Amino acid sequence: MAKVRETKVPMPEQPPEERIKNFKEVPLGYTPEMAMEEAKRCLQCKPRKGKEFPPCVEGCPVNVNIPEFIKAIKEGRFDDAIKIIKDKNSLPAITGRVCPYENQCEGNCTLGKKHEPVGIGRLERFAADYERAKGFTIPEKPKPNGKKVAIIGSGPAGLTAAADLAKKGYDVTVFEALHEPGGVLVYGIPEFRLPKEIVRAEVEYIKALGVKILTDVVVGKTITLEELLNEYDAIFVSTGAGLPNFMNIPGENLNGIYSANEFLTRLNLMRAYQFPEYDTPIKVGNKVAVIGGGNVAMDCARWARRLGKEVYIVYRRTEAEMPARKEEIEHAKEEGIKFLLLTAPIRYIGDEKGWVKQMECIKFELGEPDASGRRRPVPIKGSEFIMDIDTVVVAIGQSPNPLVPQTTPKLKTTKWGTIEVDEELRTSVERVWAGGDIVRGDSTVILAMGDGRKASLSIDKYLSSPDRKWEFKGKAELKDKN
Amino acid sequence: MYRIVKKQDLAPTIKKFEIQAPLIAKKAKPGQFVVIRIDEKGERIPLTLVDASPERGTITIAALEAGKTTKKLNSMKEGDYIANIAGPLGNPAEIAHYGTVACVGGGVGIACIYPEVKAFKKAGNYVISILGARTKEGLILKEEIKEFSDELYVATDDGSEGFHGFVHLLLKKLIEEGKRFDLVVAVGPVPMMKAVAETTKPYGIKTIVSLNPIMVDGTGMCGCCRVEVGGKTKFACVDGPEFDAHQVDFDLLMARNRRFIEEERLALKKFEESCACGR
């Protein structure tokens, strides 16, 4: 047997100096030859003792049969590969781009113990892109079962639940507050990381399964959850973490200071980068500070770089503690984004017209580990300094959107504003399930999709049972893996 | 898609639209607003609801031509479609029996005060409506408002009708003449609302204003519309749009509303050029 490649087949990428001048995707994807070459690296592991799945599948929140689809790619059976993936994952072109593989499937890869793990994410993306280029095969529609399910929010959790339930014969309607379906996939994740054309294609696939999507419906305002309960047999609430956090420091409302959500929504959903062809403007100065160290912070920084600006990531711990994916941090660095670590702003200083012109920062050192296991940043007395900047993006996290909980008094929430669910994602209100960031706070696309899948199974179980007994078992701790 | 069923000229630069939007019409309450996007390339802008008819399944909005979007909207005709309308957004006005209520509207804000005039009257208040505009042509919906008002006063900047001067000065005059107000509600341009707030503060009259910051989603997601009220940051879209006028930082609101002024001018210029070519 030939010796296995120690490293992943490299994925062609746009070089940094080129990509910062356009808005196109950075990694370009595998060719069929590259994909087949990479697929050869898979060891085809069996489940370990006492486990249901092989290690990589154990690591996947939706349990895609990874060894099987990789085997199909290796043998050039690309149609089979996508069929195997779609059995568990309705949005593979999206997860094949934005999943944190290194902590999930690839993190569990046996090959990864000695060498680089198999490029599972790259292979998933290859299979999905192959299918999209060829045209989707729509699975045969099941017989309608006459039961109606409403899904609130068309982000990754909602779309996944919608697809799963439609495939089982449910009459599914998704309600979306914005004018375009996709949730965070359209307003949050940048074009260069997830082209909107791909999201649109995945949404079209879900519509082709028979799912209805109604935009411009703000549940809680246009129609209430209680009204929907009169019309639908079950409801899945997946309204996301759409409420930006600020630091509440002096000067934070000066002009030129955006929340990450506003910055990204203007650019991604409203296409401000194409202003004035598109009507929504964005104003970005020459020196941009992005506050925070997560994926969203990297997205904002990389957007600003593409607008031709000098960009700083300002983060109060070190790179090791950054919540962003390694790949995103690397991409940001390659693109010339500067990292100002162990630093955080304490106030913003404006000019006479109310525009931010400077920020005062303080330096930190790392102390003892905190509840999150990361070392706690401790401010250093007397280390304050002033830095000239003219745009700030505050990317320190989101909180759950309060519209549905506020207008549904019976729905139990936690002190963080997330909806309380049990291990089957049932809420305190009969026939209502919830999942994704409205339950998790601020999480990932794939975990939201995992919740969508889990809720769809529980909804199906409940609506198929003759007695339909509602059991809310009280708040459960959600694991990172489903 | 939302069909325009009726269009009416209120003033040379202010048009009123009745639009088919049955879900919103069923829920709309005075003081709330909608976010509209005219077409595929459009921006999202908030507009206060002027009226709603659950029976006809329609909502009514009014727009003053200021930038490209409002200009384009005002050029639309009956039978045309607006791509997106979301709402009703924001909290409804707190309509209750207060006693004597002054409803102060300035410019296109007159259209926004109209549903509140109606609602306060229905709640049993003695309603004194005070309307202000640059010229008498700007005194829109005067007859409609008169119908629900116990008293009506008007002011024009140029003196072409009613009191010669700003609307807050007329309000001040009425207070000094001995009128007692239990509540003042003001909707209009920010400087006007600021002036009304400053007028009523020394007299300790409870005053409510409806704030009009720039918005994107209108559902609390982006924080574009943040305002400061009582020293605290609020999102006008979900915490407002109505706030205690004496607590609002109007200067901050004015500065924030000028954020995209250059871009707005550019978009308008391009739009006007393209219109000229099309003719």
Side-chain angles (χ1 to χ4, degrees):
Chain A
M1 197 179 134
K3 202 167 163 273
V4 66
R5 262 186 79 103
E6 292 185 3
T7 55
K8 292 178 187 175
V9 173
M11 169 108 93
E13 279 190 352
Q14 277 201 76
E17 57 284 4
E18 215 164 276
R19 71 193 191 222
I20 59 168
K21 292 183 209 131
N22 65 47
F23 309 112
K24 291 188 199 126
E25 224 182 338
V26 172
L28 302 169
Y30 277 161
T31 60
E33 295 72 32
M34 290 174 188
M36 286 162 79
E37 179 70 23
E38 179 63 22
K40 275 194 217 156
R41 298 180 66 227
C42 175
L43 303 173
Q44 293 291 314
C45 302
K46 299 283 171 268
R48 289 197 190 125
K49 219 175 156 192
K51 297 279 183 188
E52 196 182 348
F53 301 113
C56 52
V57 184
E58 287 284 339
C60 172
V62 294
N63 303 127
V64 167
N65 193 338
I66 295 165
E68 275 304 306
F69 97 74
I70 294 185
K71 191 168 165 217
I73 291 181
K74 186 174 111 185
E75 293 167 3
R77 294 181 287 113
F78 303 146
D79 291 308
D80 289 347
I82 191 66
K83 232 171 111 188
I84 296 162
I85 296 172
K86 280 203 161 168
D87 183 45
K88 291 289 171 70
N89 175 353
S90 297
L91 308 167
I94 294 168
T95 50
R97 287 172 165 82
V98 303
C99 255
Y101 330 104
E102 61 276 17
N103 305 328
Q104 298 175 356
C105 51
E106 294 184 18
N108 279 8
C109 176
T110 312
L111 190 63
K113 287 184 184 157
K114 266 179 92 176
H115 307 304
E116 258 189 359
V118 176
I120 301 169
R122 297 173 179 191
L123 291 172
E124 180 181 49
R125 170 182 163 158
F126 165 78
D129 288 357
Y130 168 84
E131 189 199 25
R132 197 175 61 261
K134 211 179 89 171
F136 290 120
T137 325
I138 304 299
E140 220 171 287
K141 271 189 198 154
K143 224 177 123 227
N145 65 16
K147 292 166 196 161
K148 289 172 78 181
V149 181
I151 290 176
I152 309 175
S154 65
L159 290 179
T160 301
D164 284 359
L165 289 163
K167 284 182 194 161
K168 291 193 171 94
Y170 288 91
D171 178 357
V172 183
T173 307
V174 180
F175 296 90
E176 168 55 48
L178 291 170
H179 56 263
E180 198 175 324
V184 73
L185 306 172
V186 291
Y187 76 73
I189 303 178
E191 182 73 21
F192 51 83
R193 211 145 74 71
L194 179 63
K196 299 310 139 205
E197 179 203 329
I198 290 174
V199 181
R200 258 175 241 130
E202 301 272 53
V203 167
E204 283 311 310
Y205 166 77
I206 284 168
K207 280 189 188 163
L209 296 173
V211 172
K212 284 164 276 189
I213 302 183
L214 300 180
T215 53
D216 302 332
V217 182
V218 187
V219 173
K221 291 286 182 185
T222 317
I223 192 159
T224 62
L225 193 89
E226 275 156 17
E227 289 168 312
L228 289 175
L229 275 172
N230 295 331
E231 253 186 80
Y232 293 86
D233 298 294
I235 296 179
F236 178 52
V237 181
S238 50
T239 46
L243 186 75
N245 295 342
F246 285 95
M247 292 171 72
N248 296 313
I249 57 176
E252 212 169 15
N253 294 329
L254 283 165
N255 288 351
I257 304 182
Y258 297 88
S259 74
N261 272 2
E262 182 185 354
F263 191 76
L264 292 173
T265 301
R266 283 182 180 275
L267 287 163
N268 297 328
L269 177 72
M270 305 309 297
R271 297 171 177 255
Y273 65 99
Q274 286 173 293
F275 177 86
E277 192 200 337
Y278 281 76
D279 291 344
T280 305
I282 191 156
K283 208 181 181 93
V284 184
N286 291 315
K287 209 169 163 186
V288 181
V290 177
I291 316 300
N295 288 321
V296 171
M298 298 304 143
D299 285 347
C300 294
R302 295 176 67 198
W303 249 131
R305 195 75 188 108
R306 279 160 178 71
L307 302 172
K309 313 302 179 184
E310 185 182 346
V311 186
Y312 292 82
I313 286 273
V314 181
Y315 181 56
R316 62 191 184 131
R317 305 188 213 225
T318 71
E319 201 181 306
E321 288 84 21
M322 277 191 173
R325 287 181 56 207
K326 262 212 164 62
E327 187 188 323
E328 304 305 325
I329 297 173
E330 285 315 313
H331 276 143
K333 282 186 178 167
E334 285 166 16
E335 291 167 10
I337 290 157
K338 293 164 198 159
F339 283 52
L340 210 56
L341 301 171
L342 291 166
T343 305
I346 48 175
R347 82 181 160 113
Y348 299 102
I349 302 157
D351 67 13
E352 65 289 347
K353 284 186 172 163
W355 286 86
V356 65
K357 61 169 187 180
Q358 287 176 319
M359 67 176 179
E360 184 171 353
C361 294
I362 191 162
K363 299 290 278 178
F364 288 82
E365 57 191 356
L366 290 182
E368 293 302 306
D370 64 11
S372 72
R374 298 179 298 174
R375 291 178 65 192
R376 190 191 303 273
V378 184
I380 303 172
K381 255 191 204 154
S383 67
E384 294 86 351
F385 67 99
I386 284 178
M387 179 179 170
D388 288 345
I389 38 110
D390 46 20
T391 301
V392 176
V393 182
V394 183
I396 56 164
Q398 283 90 236
S399 298
N401 190 292
L403 275 182
V404 169
Q406 262 173 17
T407 50
T408 318
K410 280 187 280 178
L411 200 59
K412 268 198 190 164
T413 53
T414 66
K415 64 179 171 182
W416 298 281
T418 53
I419 296 177
E420 272 190 27
V421 293
D422 65 12
E423 71 279 4
E424 281 192 40
L425 303 180
R426 288 173 292 214
T427 70
S428 57
V429 176
E430 199 167 334
R431 295 189 287 125
V432 178
W433 285 254
D437 275 0
I438 189 68
V439 164
R440 294 175 174 273
D442 200 347
S443 177
T444 62
V445 167
I446 188 68
L447 286 173
M449 288 174 59
D451 286 354
R453 151 136 309 203
K454 201 180 196 182
S456 72
L457 292 172
S458 179
I459 290 170
D460 182 44
K461 191 177 89 181
Y462 172 83
L463 292 180
S464 310
S465 74
D467 56 340
R468 290 198 184 178
K469 214 170 124 227
W470 188 256
E471 288 177 275
F472 170 56
K473 293 192 174 147
K475 191 175 173 289
E477 284 306 316
L478 285 192
K479 280 179 261 145
D480 281 355
K481 288 169 190 161
N482 289 309
Chain B
M1 299 287 272
Y2 303 82
R3 194 165 61 92
I4 298 171
V5 293
K6 203 171 158 202
K7 179 184 179 183
Q8 197 188 333
D9 290 2
L10 297 183
T13 54
I14 304 175
K15 316 280 180 219
K16 190 171 98 167
F17 296 92
E18 188 178 343
I19 303 164
Q20 202 72 43
L23 283 179
I24 304 173
K26 243 202 263 180
K27 285 284 155 65
K29 294 208 172 67
Q32 290 188 297
F33 64 93
V34 290
V35 165
I36 74 160
R37 192 177 74 123
I38 291 181
D39 54 34
E40 282 311 303
K41 293 185 175 176
E43 61 180 339
R44 294 172 65 98
I45 63 158
L47 288 170
T48 303
L49 282 161
V50 175
D51 211 345
S53 166
E55 299 77 33
R56 286 199 301 277
T58 60
I59 56 166
T60 301
I61 52 170
L64 165 73
E65 287 174 26
K68 175 182 172 182
T69 302
T70 42
K71 206 152 194 149
K72 201 165 179 180
L73 173 64
N74 282 1
S75 73
M76 293 176 84
K77 300 183 289 288
E78 289 178 6
D80 285 351
Y81 286 86
I82 291 171
N84 304 96
I85 305 183
L89 300 172
N91 298 309
E94 281 178 36
I95 305 293
H97 185 267
Y98 293 89
T100 302
V101 178
C103 289
V104 187
V108 73
I110 299 175
C112 308
I113 202 81
Y114 168 66
E116 305 213 19
V117 169
K118 252 181 14 182
F120 279 115
K121 181 69 199 163
K122 269 192 194 144
N125 294 284
Y126 187 85
V127 177
I128 300 180
S129 295
I130 306 168
L131 315 181
R134 279 204 196 112
T135 65
K136 65 175 183 190
E137 286 77 29
L139 294 169
I140 57 176
L141 298 175
K142 205 172 65 187
E143 292 311 311
E144 287 86 342
I145 288 174
K146 200 172 174 181
E147 194 189 327
F148 296 98
S149 306
D150 294 284
E151 294 176 39
L152 175 80
Y153 298 91
V154 299
T156 49
D157 298 358
D158 66 351
S160 53
E161 189 175 333
F163 178 83
H164 187 173
F166 292 134
V167 74
H168 70 279
L169 297 173
L170 172 56
L171 174 67
K172 192 176 166 64
K173 183 171 157 264
L174 293 173
I175 296 170
E176 281 170 356
E177 283 170 6
K179 288 234 186 294
R180 273 198 57 252
F181 295 108
D182 300 294
L183 177 72
V184 172
V185 183
V187 189
V190 185
M192 169 245 164
M193 291 193 285
K194 184 186 179 192
V196 167
E198 283 167 358
T199 303
T200 57
K201 198 169 182 188
Y203 299 98
I205 306 169
K206 182 179 173 179
T207 304
I208 300 290
V209 284
S210 176
L211 303 186
N212 57 345
I214 302 171
M215 290 187 188
V216 185
D217 66 291
T219 64
M221 190 193 80
C222 80
C224 171
C225 66
R226 50 199 203 277
V227 291
E228 279 182 31
V229 183
K232 289 208 170 75
T233 297
K234 300 275 178 192
F235 288 5
C237 68
V238 287
D239 299 323
E242 302 203 342
F243 293 101
D244 177 349
H246 299 146
Q247 303 288 321
V248 171
D249 184 338
F250 288 103
D251 294 336
L252 177 75
L253 176 60
M254 275 189 261
R256 286 186 65 80
N257 276 354
R258 281 195 292 264
R259 261 179 297 165
F260 299 105
I261 203 148
E262 288 157 31
E263 289 77 9
E264 284 161 11
R265 275 194 203 119
L266 174 69
L268 182 62
K269 192 170 151 251
K270 286 215 141 197
F271 175 66
E272 283 172 340
E273 282 165 9
S274 71
C275 285
C277 294
R279 261 173 215 154

